[in-house]
Amino acid sequence: MSTIELKGVSKRYGDFTAVETTDLRIEHGELVTLLGPSGSGKSTILSMIAGLVEPTSGRIYIGGRDVTATPPSQRNLGLVFQSYALFPHMSVFDNVAFPLTIRGVRKPEIAQRVARALDQVRLGGLQDRRPNQLSGGQQQRVALARALVFEPDILLLDEPMGALDKKLREEVQLELRQLQRDLGVTTILVTHDQEEALSLSTRLVVLNEGRVQQVDTPMNAYRRPANRFVAEFIGTANLFEGEVAPGSSTIRLAAEGHWVPFVSDSCISGRAWLVVRPEHVRVLDAESKDDIGMPASVVETVYFGQSQRVHMRTDGGTNVVAVASGEQAPRQPGQRVKLAWSPEHAWLMAA
């Protein structure tokens, strides 16, 4: 079984700590994303798993076997990088066949396995082309086929779609998720793209400054962030600072002075943050009698076609974003409104 386990793993370069002491377990068949900003340690963790970087402390296990000192070539890993690293003078066939050739696989078997790998990534019939004759998406698939052709236990992807435009990126993301699910190969993806992480992963590992902030499903990480960093990094978050009395299910917002209810299994008391996602904020007319609401003024409305984002500022000075249907009449700058949301959509975090 291709489980991956990090026990007390860290990486330091002199006085700089790239990865703080980390424990992490990835189960067989999972697609786990290491998500974080530049310099958060995600690529360093991937490189340590691949054997390209030696950890300063801790042990790395693959399938229950300690591989901390095992060379990369003996870990049976498939690697795909943002640059793809294709050989420009080689055909698609020869690029994909390269890992098998250096392993001494016989030519008839190479032909069969390359054909199968190209079919898996929907590149059958393009085996004679050179990389410069392919689109960016096709080059990315060649790199993926080369990583899969020798049937690795684990697939490691380091920003593999960073060079693709938005539309092509979304298409390749869908193909990658379907392929990973069909093959059942344990996969680790490194990205700083939140949408990519949310759409592809079975679990997220959110990192910042070398520390793991949260390990969770995409839905939980979005709906129930562990801290302010996770709340702000994954999607857009409306944050309200306030005070919670012990055992209370309401928070007094510091800037607005409002008492706001929330639904949470948290035992947090004292200073705290309330998180409300934009899609859960209701924008009501200022004279609305249906809801008490929080008074605010519209700053700007940005139209996206299917939806629009309404940027507002409460009377207490807190910036708030709401998502409304693109069919609704846009709110005008300066317009007075009231903001409201359901208690079950308000998540509490310790400050």
Side-chain angles (χ1 to χ4, degrees), residues 112-158:
Q112 292 177 358
R113 292 172 71 169
V114 169
R116 183 167 64 246
L118 290 176
D119 284 342
Q120 286 174 335
V121 298
R122 298 195 301 112
L123 287 179
L126 300 184
Q127 64 272 7
D128 295 327
R129 294 192 185 183
R130 297 287 178 89
N132 63 4
Q133 297 175 302
L134 303 175
S135 68
Q138 289 171 329
Q139 291 181 42
Q140 194 268 355
R141 289 184 211 160
V142 173
L144 187 58
R146 184 177 60 186
L148 293 170
V149 72
F150 59 92
E151 300 175 353
D153 294 324
I154 293 164
L155 185 61
L156 304 179
L157 310 172
D158 194 356

Side-chain angles (χ1 to χ4, degrees), residues 28 35 40 51 80 108 142 160 165 179 206 219 221 309 336 341:
H28 172 75
L35 175 66
S40 61
V80 178
V142 173
D165 62 52
L179 180 62
V206 186
M219 184 176 292
R309 286 194 167 215
R336 294 291 292 171
W341 54 81

